[in-house]
Amino acid sequence: MRIGIDRMAFATTNDYLDLVELAKERGVDPNKFTIGIGQDLQAVVPPTQDIVTLGATAAKKLLTPELEKNISTVIVATESGIDNSKASAIYIKHLLGLSDFTRTVEMKEACYSATAAIQFAKGVVALNPQETVLVIAADIARYGLNTPGEVTQGAGAVAMLISRNPHILTLEDTTVAYGKDIMDFWRPLYATEALVDGKYSTNVYIEFFLQTFTRYQQLTGRELADFAALTFHMPFTKMGKKGLEGLLKDRNDEVAQRLRTQLTASQLFSRQVGNLYTGSLYLSLMSLLQNSDLRAGSRIGLFSYGSGAEGEFYTGILEDGYEHYMNNIQEELKHRHQVSVAEYEKLFSSQLGMNDRDIEFDVTNDPLPFVLKGQKDHQRIYEAK
């Protein structure tokens, strides 16, 4: 039985910041951001949006009444949880109007957990072929204003349906997971912004990719020539390049050139949105599929990484007509609203965060279909517009 990704959809906020403008305001050479980090634009989050609203918006784009009938489980992968107890998946299920006879759960392991969610979903479908699992990777990356990590912020959600006979990508059986207890990035319970050792984290990322890919080769006997493309978790797009070059080194043959070309295609959307944490790998996959000419039957490698640290390398085979089962991301990104650095700073500081008081947001100008109206009696209030 073939099991894999049947449909995909992406959602982000309506506002964005030009990082050249941010660089000028911070007194930094813009090339440090656009070339050194590999980012051009960054999603800006208004207080009316969070992982629940973004996740529900992404899922709404791919659901139909017929598809909803088969959904047995909703898994939300995030490191931007809004409650230490209640799963964000429950809120999303309610906003989407899914059946109450639906399993809902939230998963966490830094940026990696969406991959674990997909593997778990594959197991659910293997046991119950008539069922479909909705996996949502939703996050808001925050490092603080005027900090070294500011340029690698971002926000968005990728929603995926995992089912038998998928229309986008059939997942192959061999996967390699690799983990160590490492403090390269973490966010204590008392903090709204992450703590990170950037250079160390990059080195760990490359190590984990090489470890998992080498182990995969040992298990399967496959070579680089067997891959049409490799996709990477991209908290910033230069990270994916570092991973690929760590493998290719000085190699410059036809296979290496092809993989570098496809990497560029996979970076395009992340350059315009920023860091999605759990969704970054899957936005890079969608970018690859919408900005390249891959054919059905192509094998794609996926490297997932989450600080702390967990990595996994796995593969999928591209299905015929895959391009018809995703939303057109580039077209949607064209219609966003650019904000100034001052507006971005105001919105950044207006988030609900760790606030215990009642608050009501003005949702009038938020164009997304789901909004966070505020908080009352310590409960978040959501609305489907």
Side-chain angles (χ1 to χ4, degrees):
M1 178 170 56
R2 295 186 300 108
I3 301 173
I5 302 174
D6 183 61
R7 283 167 171 78
M8 303 182 77
F10 169 71
T12 188
T13 62
N14 189 56
D15 298 324
Y16 74 90
L17 175 67
D18 188 324
L19 294 180
V20 170
E21 296 301 315
L22 179 65
K24 292 177 180 177
E25 182 68 24
R26 300 293 187 248
V28 175
D29 181 353
N31 287 336
K32 181 177 180 180
F33 291 173
T34 59
I35 299 175
I37 301 296
Q39 298 298 129
D40 296 320
L41 309 175
Q42 184 178 105
V44 174
V45 186
T48 50
Q49 292 295 317
D50 66 6
I51 61 166
V52 168
T53 58
L54 291 171
T57 297
K60 181 180 175 66
K61 294 179 181 183
L62 55 72
L63 291 180
T64 66
E66 191 62 32
L67 290 172
E68 290 175 7
K69 294 177 183 177
N70 297 323
I71 294 176
S72 68
T73 304
V74 178
I75 307 176
V76 174
T78 186
E79 57 178 284
S80 311
I82 59 167
D83 191 284
N84 285 329
S85 177
K86 186 173 180 178
S88 52
I90 295 177
Y91 293 101
I92 292 177
K93 179 194 78 72
H94 174 73
L95 288 174
L96 295 174
L98 299 178
S99 168
D100 287 343
F101 293 99
T102 304
R103 182 185 298 110
T104 52
V105 69
E106 180 175 310
M107 297 183 62
K108 178 178 72 177
E109 200 328 272
C111 301
Y112 162 77
S113 60
T115 297
I118 289 174
Q119 299 298 348
F120 296 167
K122 183 179 177 183
V124 170
V125 177
L127 289 172
N128 304 282
Q130 75 282 2
E131 295 182 4
T132 297
V133 178
L134 172 59
V135 172
I136 299 171
D139 267 304
I140 297 172
R142 288 173 61 96
Y143 295 96
L145 300 176
N146 208 4
T147 64
E150 184 177 28
V151 68
T152 62
Q153 297 178 140
V158 176
M160 298 169 276
L161 292 180
I162 309 301
S163 73
R164 65 176 175 175
N165 302 325
H167 287 100
I168 296 178
L169 196 71
T170 293
L171 301 181
E172 296 187 288
D173 290 337
T174 302
T175 72
V176 178
Y178 183 79
K180 289 183 178 181
D181 185 0
I182 290 174
M183 298 301 289
D184 61 328
F185 171 107
W186 68 103
R187 182 167 67 84
L189 290 175
Y190 53 79
T192 56
E193 282 81 47
L195 303 173
V196 60
D197 184 339
K199 185 174 182 180
Y200 179 46
S201 188
T202 298
N203 291 336
V204 174
Y205 173 101
I206 296 170
E207 176 200 346
F208 275 45
F209 169 57
L210 296 178
Q211 289 281 3
T212 55
F213 186 78
T214 300
R215 179 63 173 162
Y216 175 87
Q217 287 187 300
Q218 293 170 347
L219 294 174
T220 64
R222 293 184 180 127
E223 302 294 333
L224 275 177
D226 295 316
F227 293 90
L230 297 176
T231 55
F232 293 82
H233 164 58
M234 291 185 194
F236 54 93
T237 64
K238 195 67 173 288
M239 184 77 99
K241 178 177 174 60
K242 289 177 181 290
L244 181 61
E245 295 304 328
L247 179 66
L248 296 179
K249 295 183 170 51
D250 296 328
R251 184 169 171 175
N252 199 34
D253 56 17
E254 181 180 348
V255 171
Q257 291 177 16
R258 182 184 75 241
L259 293 177
R260 290 187 177 105
T261 297
Q262 301 296 18
L263 176 71
T264 299
S266 74
Q267 293 172 320
L268 295 178
F269 293 157
S270 293
R271 291 189 71 96
Q272 301 176 62
V273 176
N275 194 350
L276 300 190
Y277 285 160
T278 53
S280 292
L281 169 61
Y282 299 99
L283 180 60
S284 70
L285 175 61
M286 294 183 75
S287 184
L288 171 70
L289 298 184
Q290 294 187 18
N291 293 291
S292 66
D293 56 356
L294 292 176
R295 298 180 180 179
S298 297
R299 174 175 289 109
I300 298 173
L302 299 96
F303 174 62
S304 180
Y305 176 78
S307 295
E310 185 84 20
E312 184 164 344
F313 183 84
Y314 69 112
T315 60
I317 302 297
L318 204 56
E319 293 295 328
D320 187 35
Y322 64 87
E323 65 272 16
H324 302 300
Y325 296 90
M326 298 174 284
N327 64 311
N328 187 328
I329 296 177
Q330 188 58 60
E331 184 61 31
E332 293 182 7
L333 291 178
K334 291 178 182 178
H335 300 290
R336 293 182 298 168
H337 168 250
Q338 182 177 349
V339 299
S340 66
V341 175
E343 289 172 314
Y344 144 71
E345 292 177 339
K346 181 179 179 180
L347 290 171
F348 185 92
S349 301
S350 300
Q351 297 293 303
L352 184 57
M354 294 183 178
N355 198 326
D356 65 356
R357 71 178 191 273
D358 291 351
I359 188 169
E360 184 174 352
F361 296 129
D362 181 2
V363 301
T364 307
N365 296 321
D366 194 320
L368 296 191
F370 303 103
V371 292
L372 172 62
K373 293 188 66 176
Q375 181 172 269
K376 186 175 182 180
D377 297 330
H378 306 284
Q379 300 177 41
R380 291 191 177 216
I381 310 299
Y382 294 101
E383 180 182 88
K385 298 181 73 175

